[in-house]
Amino acid sequence: MGLSDMKCVACRSTEPHMTEAEISEVLPQLPDWSVTEVAGEKHLEKVFKFRDFTEALEFTDRVGAAAEAEDHHPMLITEWGRVTVHWWTHKIRGLHRNDFIMAARTDELECV
């Protein structure tokens, strides 16, 4: 089963972050995504490129709809011709399997 086919689960603040070994095992399934650190928290980050602002905004809307459907929300930075997406789990202040699932689904939205 691919990441995008997996189900997100409700996450509690007491759940642990993914370990480096778990991240290293799953990250290769997400081409061009990287693990970055923002304010001491690990995030998944990817920059998507588009022909213009309209395409970037339409993609942002698709990602927003997917986020609402799962009640799991990324940071989205929409600019002319590009959208930067950050997934991380706010409750645990780091990475959870849900973030990897949503990153895989985000990749699928680029082609819609």
Side-chain angles (χ1 to χ4, degrees):
M1 176 182 296
L3 280 170
S4 65
D5 298 318
M6 294 179 175
K7 300 286 185 199
C8 289
V9 296
C11 184
R12 294 179 172 85
S13 61
T14 56
E15 290 191 41
H17 301 130
M18 288 182 71
T19 66
E20 291 297 327
E22 291 168 329
I23 291 169
S24 295
E25 180 182 319
V26 179
L27 190 59
Q29 297 177 52
L30 297 170
D32 302 319
W33 286 88
S34 60
V35 175
T36 60
E37 196 165 304
V38 178
E41 298 176 5
K42 287 187 179 172
H43 291 204
L44 283 175
E45 178 184 329
K46 183 174 179 178
V47 176
F48 294 83
K49 298 194 186 247
F50 300 95
R51 288 184 293 196
D52 55 32
F53 186 76
T54 299
E55 285 187 8
L57 189 57
E58 289 170 351
F59 175 72
T60 299
D61 288 341
R62 290 192 300 273
V63 174
E68 275 296 298
E70 289 292 345
D71 195 27
H72 189 57
H73 305 92
M75 175 171 58
L76 300 167
I77 302 169
T78 305
E79 305 172 83
W80 190 96
R82 64 188 267 161
V83 178
T84 304
V85 180
H86 284 250
W87 285 105
W88 81 106
T89 300
H90 306 248
K91 284 185 179 180
I92 64 170
R93 301 181 60 147
L95 293 174
H96 185 274
R97 182 165 292 278
N98 291 346
D99 303 306
F100 290 82
I101 292 169
M102 292 306 293
R105 291 182 186 172
T106 302
D107 281 341
E108 291 178 347
L109 295 172
E110 180 181 22
C111 302
V112 174

